[in-house]
Amino acid sequence: TEASNYQQDTDATMKDTRAANSPAPKVAGHLTKTGARKIKLDSPDIVLKKHQSGVNAFSIQRVDDQHYLLASGGDDNSLQVTVLAVQEQTPHKPLIVAMATASSQSAHAATITGVHTLDNSTVLTTSVDQRVNLWKYELVLNPPVE
């Protein structure tokens, strides 16, 4: 019985190995060329220096027509959550302003490797410390004062 179990396990492993080594299936379809010949990339519209070292992950969530939530995690173990406001300056060049930033300097015990915004009040982070953290916060957008 042990020999037959071993043989069944070996057969299953061989099938998995053959499947892994087989060529990828052909996918039907094509790419079309558009009229664009070059993409011009100017300087960044905004630069945020919120981390002490490398940024490993970020997630962006649209809050409303003018606001976005940017969450980022890095080598410094910190989570940074920034509210960005997009203000139309010209039709093709909006002005992006960092309105507010909240941070947790010790969000994890080690480097943050993943950040995901679930909604306007929840962020998930992962780290090499083998934890997944759920962060809840309250986002209060004050109407502009005129």
Side-chain angles (χ1 to χ4, degrees), residues 79-107:
L79 170 64
Q80 306 289 328
V81 179
T82 303
V83 177
L84 300 174
V86 180
Q87 302 166 352
E88 288 293 327
Q89 194 171 21
T90 66
H92 302 289
K93 185 77 171 171
L95 175 65
I96 301 171
V97 179
M99 302 285 293
T101 298
S103 65
S104 175
Q105 296 303 321
S106 300

Side-chain angles (χ1 to χ4, degrees), residues 38-96:
K38 288 184 180 179
I39 297 174
K40 184 178 178 187
L41 193 60
D42 294 328
S43 60
D45 290 333
I46 188 170
V47 175
L48 302 172
K49 294 192 176 202
K50 302 294 182 182
H51 291 277
Q52 294 177 9
S53 53
V55 177
N56 297 329
F58 75 93
S59 180
I60 193 159
Q61 174 83 25
R62 186 178 189 147
V63 176
D64 59 29
D65 288 343
Q66 296 179 332
H67 297 94
Y68 290 83
L69 192 70
L70 175 68
S72 62
D75 287 333
D76 59 0
N77 310 349
S78 75
L79 170 64
Q80 306 289 328
V81 179
T82 303
V83 177
L84 300 174
V86 180
Q87 302 166 352
E88 288 293 327
Q89 194 171 21
T90 66
H92 302 289
K93 185 77 171 171
L95 175 65
I96 301 171

